[in-house]
Amino acid sequence: MSKLWSSSIGKKLVMSLSGLFLIVFLLVHLVANLFYFGGEEAYNAMCGFMDTNPLIQVMVPVLAAGFVIHIAWATVITWQNRSARPVRYKVQDLSRSSAWESRNMYVLGIIVLGVLGWHLTDFWAEMQLQHFIGGHPTTNSYALLEATFSNPVIAILYIVWIVALWFHLRHGFWSAFQTIGLDNQVWIRRWKCAARVYALIVAAGFISIPVAVLVSEFCCGN
């Protein structure tokens, strides 16, 4: 069993399972964020629930571990693949045999990770982190969200981040199921279709929030 987890297949399996865990988290996180459209009271109530719910508090370190495992194994696999092929082929038209995102998953992952670090300092650090460091969490998450995304630079950076995440999900979703063995010709087509739908829903949902804030800020004068 230890040989399996240390092998290339084992590492890909761990990365796929951690990726599927993060995919579920993203959907839950999106649902929570969409409470913004319910107004200030609804959004603050949702944030208050997540801020005090014991299950959510337990899931924070689990989620962090999921990110660390996924990123670490992706780095190891990428490094091993490049080391195994030190000389690139002189003539190689990869665009015909694989999608752009499949050839750039690691780069997309680095972009997502980089902006995620900034995103955590804006929201998570002002809310959940304060519980761990003895600080005072913000009492108006709705106002924090609007103040953040009313800055066009931050809003645009966030949107670019979500586009990178969209590309990453579009390939990562179905390839995770392929790695765990659900890759016959019938099901792989279904997973690819589901991946496109899922990635589009997640990306459109997250992007709708900064867009709505900017529209409200610059068109309605709120």
Side-chain angles (χ1 to χ4, degrees), residues 1-11 13:
M1 182 63 70
S2 60
K3 290 184 178 180
L4 170 64
W5 297 118
S6 62
S7 67
S8 176
I9 294 176
K11 290 184 178 69
L13 182 60

Side-chain angles (χ1 to χ4, degrees), residues 49-101:
F49 169 77
M50 296 187 68
D51 209 27
T52 57
N53 187 282
L55 179 60
I56 300 297
Q57 302 305 316
V58 170
M59 287 303 297
V60 168
V62 175
L63 178 63
F67 272 107
V68 170
I69 291 171
H70 190 70
I71 295 164
W73 259 246
T75 301
V76 170
I77 292 171
T78 301
W79 178 261
Q80 289 179 341
N81 289 343
R82 291 186 177 181
S83 298
R85 193 178 61 203
V87 179
R88 294 180 180 273
Y89 297 111
K90 292 183 178 180
V91 179
Q92 190 176 31
D93 187 6
L94 294 175
S95 62
R96 294 183 178 181
S97 59
S98 60
W100 178 85
E101 58 264 29

Side-chain angles (χ1 to χ4, degrees), residues 177-197:
F177 286 101
Q178 183 182 52
T179 299
I180 63 179
L182 300 175
D183 60 346
N184 63 65
Q185 291 187 0
V186 173
W187 273 101
I188 201 64
R189 288 197 299 269
R190 293 173 179 172
W191 292 132
K192 286 183 177 182
C193 180
R196 289 191 291 269
V197 173

Side-chain angles (χ1 to χ4, degrees), residues 90-186:
K90 292 183 178 180
V91 179
Q92 190 176 31
D93 187 6
L94 294 175
S95 62
R96 294 183 178 181
S97 59
S98 60
W100 178 85
E101 58 264 29
S102 70
R103 303 191 305 274
N104 295 278
M105 284 293 284
Y106 189 68
V107 174
L108 289 168
I110 292 298
I111 294 172
V112 170
L113 176 63
V115 186
L116 176 63
W118 156 79
H119 186 56
L120 289 175
T121 64
D122 261 7
F123 291 97
W124 183 76
E126 295 295 329
M127 293 183 281
Q128 283 85 8
L129 179 61
Q130 298 301 318
H131 292 291
F132 297 98
I133 62 176
H136 300 284
T138 179
T139 57
N140 194 334
S141 302
Y142 185 90
L144 174 63
L145 185 150
E146 290 209 320
T148 300
F149 288 138
S150 62
N151 183 329
V153 175
I154 294 178
I156 291 171
L157 179 60
Y158 181 87
I159 291 170
V160 171
W161 173 44
I162 296 301
V163 170
L165 180 64
W166 170 62
F167 277 113
H168 195 79
L169 290 173
R170 208 169 65 163
H171 176 75
F173 184 102
W174 69 263
S175 65
F177 286 101
Q178 183 182 52
T179 299
I180 63 179
L182 300 175
D183 60 346
N184 63 65
Q185 291 187 0
V186 173

